[in-house]
Amino acid sequence: MRTSRAAVLAKFDEPLQLTEFPIPSALEPGAALVRVSLAGVCGTDVHLWHGQLPLSLPVILGHETVGVIEQIGPGRVTDWTGQPIAPGQRITWSSSIACGVCYYCRITKQPTRCLKRKAYGISYVCAEPPHLFGGYAEYIYLRPGTSIFVLPDSLPTEAVVGAGCALATSIHGLERLSAEWQDTVVIQGTGPVGLACLALARDRGASKIIMIGGPAHRIELAKRFGADHCIDVMQTKPADRRKIVMDLTDGFGADIALECVGIPQAVEEGLDLCRDGARYLVLGHYGDAGTIPFNPHVVTRKQLLLAGSWGFEPRHTHAGLKFLARNRQRFPFECLISKPFTLDRANDALQATAHWQIGKSAIAP
Amino acid sequence: MRTSRAAVLAKFDEPLQLTEFPIPSALEPGAALVRVSLAGVCGTDVHLWHGQLPLSLPVILGHETVGVIEQIGPGRVTDWTGQPIAPGQRITWSSSIACGVCYYCRITKQPTRCLKRKAYGISYVCAEPPHLFGGYAEYIYLRPGTSIFVLPDSLPTEAVVGAGCALATSIHGLERLSAEWQDTVVIQGTGPVGLACLALARDRGASKIIMIGGPAHRIELAKRFGADHCIDVMQTKPADRRKIVMDLTDGFGADIALECVGIPQAVEEGLDLCRDGARYLVLGHYGDAGTIPFNPHVVTRKQLLLAGSWGFEPRHTHAGLKFLARNRQRFPFECLISKPFTLDRANDALQATAHWQIGKSAIAP
Amino acid sequence: MRTSRAAVLAKFDEPLQLTEFPIPSALEPGAALVRVSLAGVCGTDVHLWHGQLPLSLPVILGHETVGVIEQIGPGRVTDWTGQPIAPGQRITWSSSIACGVCYYCRITKQPTRCLKRKAYGISYVCAEPPHLFGGYAEYIYLRPGTSIFVLPDSLPTEAVVGAGCALATSIHGLERLSAEWQDTVVIQGTGPVGLACLALARDRGASKIIMIGGPAHRIELAKRFGADHCIDVMQTKPADRRKIVMDLTDGFGADIALECVGIPQAVEEGLDLCRDGARYLVLGHYGDAGTIPFNPHVVTRKQLLLAGSWGFEPRHTHAGLKFLARNRQRFPFECLISKPFTLDRANDALQATAHWQIGKSAIAP
Amino acid sequence: MRTSRAAVLAKFDEPLQLTEFPIPSALEPGAALVRVSLAGVCGTDVHLWHGQLPLSLPVILGHETVGVIEQIGPGRVTDWTGQPIAPGQRITWSSSIACGVCYYCRITKQPTRCLKRKAYGISYVCAEPPHLFGGYAEYIYLRPGTSIFVLPDSLPTEAVVGAGCALATSIHGLERLSAEWQDTVVIQGTGPVGLACLALARDRGASKIIMIGGPAHRIELAKRFGADHCIDVMQTKPADRRKIVMDLTDGFGADIALECVGIPQAVEEGLDLCRDGARYLVLGHYGDAGTIPFNPHVVTRKQLLLAGSWGFEPRHTHAGLKFLARNRQRFPFECLISKPFTLDRANDALQATAHWQIGKSAIAP
């Protein structure tokens, strides 16, 4: 029997365990077996590792993955657009599967809040066959109902994983609270989500984009992606940053600010960088990192608009791939990934992301 | 020389002083002298009295007023629609005047945040002639540029003052964050703003409206205005209220919740009454009443949308009068006003509003 | 073997043929067999009968139907909200089934233009088993994937069929081009679509609704549904109607006009009833009834917004049922249906609709 | 007394007459006298010359102009943002002045349809002093209430006139019917409006832009502005163009098509280039050029959205200047203007625009 190695999160805050699982020989109708080419390590994986999100263990992490189809189940297996897929095709897929029927799927049309939503690399326990439900592995098993996307040759694997779930998340976020044409935009955070927001805001005709982030290698990336101004969060205090933003906005503040950090204090600071009537998107708070003091009077008086956005739908993955293919030169997301880690160094990959050591770490099994 | 009595706020938290002012005999071009018929006492007046908003003293309070034109300045004086006005006409007017030119007036199109905005009964000190810039008086002087509205005979003075600035404020609020057709709506507060929101949400086809408020006489009004469910805030705890709202919404929470209270804790409670993907309008926080703990993770995870809204524009007053004229039977706003106070009892009128003793107090000089 | 009678359209413009079909004894998983209680006769059925829409024959007409579940297929069969259904329940269903995967379903999110859309009473030929795919019959066979809605006891069958597909169609139409709060609305047509638009516009807070239609019994219904003004199309000419509308709108014209007639000349007239900057919804043109002369300069100069809307999605049926349940007194749609026809008088029912003899004809087999 | 030469349209379809007018020595408060640097010749000027729009003669044409302030009226004269202006500043201005009070200005908020709107170079007869109300002149007199914009040094006069009113018109048009992020866009016309729409759609993240126009020198400009595909209208027939567009859109048609031509048949063709559910903007029909046959059934069945847009507001001029300053390299609008004509060759300048001989003709007096 063939086997696949996988890096398993068996206990919170402990090293991932390299484990061998049997590869299923027979697939269900509609399923696909995929050989992993490259698996992204997302900031959310760090939250999961810390147990900051509800999670049943053991789990094979990895929810942003590119691979090559090795085998498909009986009958017709199709991609998200209804086209049949076949072994040998290079694909990615939307990490989560919504039920399509529940209150949030059908009535409010917000499937990211689906009551039965399941995500690869997060919600599928790997204890039972077919086990292989995460990207930190040699093989992954895609269930029927997975939203699969065949990648065009022009789009390198590194660009797709480099953009990762951050791009689709950001597309969804800007759908909920849009950076409008000619807006002055403040983006808090220069990680993958911050950079994706930068690329998207630039592409939609933002007038001026001010990035707040770090460390230096990420600020370099932000400049390469076309940021107008970058403020190094390591070398400034909130008051410094406020002064810079006000100076760059005639003293009024940003039209829209996008929080892509995940630290509650960033929200406090960000609201203060907004002009009256501005919009503020809380996009980075996937983990529960505690509360901040919040004054409702400010929301009324400044007539602010605040929004949150959770995850993304398959159509956002679709839009992201279209965006990447169209903007290869302008936004080289492959630059986020330097040298992929091997599967047996999955822990190092996770730590590299946890400590912002590189743009984005990835695992090439 | 003719004089007008007026109730003057000379010192915060002290009784208003009945003062006599000369009535100007000559008016500027574009100005109007109006004999006050009825002046509403707004919750904001209580905040002003406490000094909870930036304010220079002395001031004649009163920013929601109906009166009869006694005299107009030389040349053509017009109402908001450009029609000439004349002595004898019964009018109301938008309480504030925006400059029309500044960054917020011109570029962001949010004149409620005009950098030079001035409001009758709030921002005009009464120390200098023509003194009479507030509604708690026998006469009021309307400057050139005031947005004046001639009242149709079918619309009683009591209905216009009963709706007061709460109606225009609510119209603006729902423009910023709309109660959409067939929404389930929770409204926190049964004061004038809460009742106005109730009437507006009903008129726009809300499916189910749950009011949280009190005391009993206001809940009676809410029922008369068509509330589906009323929860008495005096006789319940937050957990009780949450249970009731969840039971009424299949366990999900409201599509939209409207805060019309002004107490920070209401925001904390209100966000918890919302379903995932809901909208929340902070409409009642005109005074700075302090902070609450706030978890940005909740905004991301529940993908909430929060908005604030400040004051209103003349076009909202216009819309409000149209709404009142169209809904006389359905929403009898005159019922908010029981027996007007005389001008020499202006302090009692203010206290009646401060202590929620009646729907809305008013002064008939 | 049990049989069901059905009225079959075998040849365009010829009488429907009463035919006996076998009732399938075994159902597929997910399917349901329903005993028809009442089947609406829609204006579209008249178009279909004339062959004015692409159609393969023979077909059992009838796409707006209420019935009682007699039998369900093996396994779990659910309604649109995912709840299991069972024999004995009174239901209705969305007439069409979209594929959920094609370009229009997935990418543009307009499933009413699904490339593989099929509708009961329209697109299913009845030549092959299980034959029973239309409402003009004793029994109807609902395929897996049908969007089924269980009716609450409070909602009479006649109200559901009286509202028919016109209500869901109108909800979709107003979603594409909304009658906004306090708009002045002109509605061309007092048939089921016109009346549904009237009810919906009223419920959303339209300020003034002017109906143009006839004959007298339909104008009576429009008044009962709360129209502010009714213009009898039989007793006026276009110039008369224009004068009335202009007089009712201060000489400017309507904020929005809704075409619910299906006659091209109505569009010509309707555009002329609009103010500058108005919106115009072409909602009634399900059949190809030819062209009108059209001047693009008028669209530019008056800066008009025109929209079309085709059919509806299951969520519009869901919204329609919620609307009906909430507005039983205000909009008594059951009044559209006088006395149902028996199945052997299906031809008479069709002619009654063709000639506007009654509000809406229906067949009670 | 000083005089200014001006090119006067005294009779339709006849050559403009070079006329000498006295320059007013005293200015009203709020007015400004401007020495013209460069005046654009707009396609609308050709329509005016032919008498295709309502117009009183004689008129000095020219409504897109850059000049240098020579003198200002007494008191404070300000630009559109409220900043004081002074002689020596290089400025442009919004061509029209709305009353700010009428039904369209106040209630519908569509000041481009202002009942009292007046435009330089169009609506001001030059028979009476101060005569100088058009751009084809050495001097122009700007009335109080004109929306003036001071030009930054970085923005060349040629770029501002090259973009002309076409840019502000297009910004307004796309505000009414937006080219959304990642849309496939067809633009009919490669004149100034078509090129402006191209630049704007590109800047907002259009996915694919297909231009239909000509002649060759304009197609060159379209390519330089970043068009993905250009179809030469001179060398193709409608059926050819449809085939190309369908091939480029997977057989579906454009998400949005923008008509920037002014020929009614373009609308007929354009609607046919749209996918189901598409949007179509009629932006080029400033003159009445007659009717086309139009089938309302197509609007319903394809559920199209059509919009018209007329002129622009000062805020669109403001946005246009911001856009130009931000995109100097990407969209070099100065390239539309080759060699300006002198004032005594104003007729030749007009004919050059009438016959599409160059990107855009301009007059440098």
Side-chain angles (χ1 to χ4, degrees), chain B residues 56-67:
Chain B
S56 302
L57 299 183
V59 155
I60 304 170
L61 293 179
H63 59 270
E64 28 181 40
T65 318
V66 167

Side-chain angles (χ1 to χ4, degrees), chain A residues 80 82 101 106-107 109 315, chain C residues 80 82 101 106 109 315 318:
Chain A
W80 185 71
V101 175
R106 281 253 155 102
I107 296 183
K109 294 183 84 175
R315 64 191 174 87
Chain C
W80 184 72
V101 175
R106 280 252 156 101
K109 295 183 84 177
R315 64 190 174 86
H318 174 79

Side-chain angles (χ1 to χ4, degrees), chain B residues 80 82 101 106 109 315 318, chain D residues 80 82 101 106-107 109 315:
Chain B
W80 185 71
V101 175
R106 280 251 156 104
K109 294 181 84 176
R315 63 191 174 86
H318 174 79
Chain D
W80 185 72
V101 175
R106 280 253 155 102
I107 297 183
K109 295 184 83 178
R315 64 191 173 87

Side-chain angles (χ1 to χ4, degrees), chain C:
Chain C
M1 179 188 277
R2 293 164 64 210
T3 59
S4 166
R5 288 181 306 146
V8 173
L9 172 60
K11 215 167 163 191
F12 296 124
D13 282 324
E14 299 214 345
L16 305 178
Q17 298 175 359
L18 208 60
T19 311
E20 203 118 346
F21 290 102
I23 294 176
S25 50
L27 275 65
E28 304 159 90
L33 180 72
V34 176
R35 182 176 187 95
V36 173
S37 307
L38 194 63
V41 177
C42 175
T44 296
D45 292 345
V46 179
H47 292 306
L48 295 170
W49 183 64
H50 286 315
Q52 289 168 340
L53 281 169
L55 192 68
S56 301
L57 298 184
V59 155
I60 303 171
L61 292 179
H63 59 269
E64 27 182 40
T65 317
V66 167
V68 175
I69 301 172
E70 179 127 338
Q71 190 183 342
I72 60 169
R76 199 169 176 266
V77 185
T78 58
D79 70 4
W80 184 72
T81 70
Q83 296 304 308
I85 57 168
Q89 285 181 309
R90 191 172 52 112
I91 63 170
T92 191
W93 51 92
S94 216
S95 52
S96 59
I97 304 179
C99 77
V101 175
C102 75
Y103 172 74
Y104 285 116
C105 283
R106 280 252 156 101
I107 297 182
T108 74
K109 295 183 84 177
Q110 296 179 307
T112 57
R113 302 304 305 146
C114 168
L115 298 168
K116 299 183 177 170
R117 193 162 170 256
K118 290 277 220 172
Y120 291 104
I122 301 175
S123 349
Y124 293 110
V125 167
C126 65
E128 297 296 316
H131 308 289
L132 298 165
F133 289 132
Y136 295 12
E138 287 170 310
Y139 285 89
I140 187 165
Y141 182 93
L142 300 185
R143 294 173 163 246
T146 302
S147 298
I148 292 172
F149 300 87
V150 177
L151 298 176
D153 290 344
S154 64
L155 203 51
T157 293
E158 289 71 20
V160 176
V161 174
C165 74
L167 179 58
T169 296
S170 300
I171 290 172
H172 183 212
L174 289 178
E175 186 181 281
R176 287 192 52 78
L177 204 67
S178 178
E180 288 170 14
W181 183 64
Q182 301 226 98
D183 268 351
T184 293
V185 183
V186 163
I187 298 175
Q188 300 176 284
T190 48
V193 176
L195 290 171
C197 283
L198 163 57
L200 291 168
R202 191 91 286 168
D203 191 46
R204 283 155 184 247
S207 172
K208 190 182 286 183
I209 304 180
I210 305 166
M211 303 295 295
I212 300 177
H217 65 86
R218 285 186 160 174
I219 285 185
E220 276 316 300
L221 276 169
K223 285 181 185 162
R224 186 153 172 191
F225 272 54
D228 294 296
H229 303 275
C230 291
I231 306 176
D232 191 327
V233 81
M234 316 292 190
Q235 309 192 349
T236 51
K237 291 182 182 164
D240 305 328
R241 296 192 283 269
R242 186 170 199 281
K243 189 179 178 320
I244 296 170
V245 169
M246 291 300 146
D247 286 350
L248 289 168
T249 57
D250 296 327
F252 290 113
D255 293 314
I256 182 168
L258 310 172
E259 181 276 323
C260 312
V261 174
I263 300 170
Q265 284 68 32
V267 174
E268 223 179 334
E269 179 177 336
L271 289 171
D272 208 32
L273 301 176
C274 285
R275 68 162 170 85
D276 286 11
R279 286 152 281 133
Y280 190 81
L281 180 64
V282 186
L283 189 57
H285 273 75
Y286 278 79
D288 180 344
T291 65
I292 48 166
F294 179 79
N295 192 332
H297 170 61
V298 175
V299 177
T300 294
R301 195 191 67 226
K302 288 183 70 169
Q303 41 189 37
L304 298 173
L305 194 59
L306 274 84
S309 180
W310 183 258
F312 53 90
E313 304 170 31
R315 64 190 174 86
H316 299 116
T317 305
H318 174 79
L321 293 170
K322 186 173 172 182
F323 173 77
L324 284 178
R326 184 164 60 79
N327 286 286
R328 287 297 322 286
Q329 263 62 47
R330 205 175 176 196
F331 308 119
F333 276 94
E334 59 270 36
C335 296
L336 271 78
I337 294 180
S338 30
K339 194 176 159 21
F341 292 80
T342 54
L343 186 55
D344 48 16
R345 291 193 57 213
N347 282 302
D348 298 334
L350 196 60
Q351 296 310 317
T353 286
H355 298 99
W356 299 8
Q357 288 164 2
I358 50 178
K360 184 182 185 73
S361 54
I363 297 169

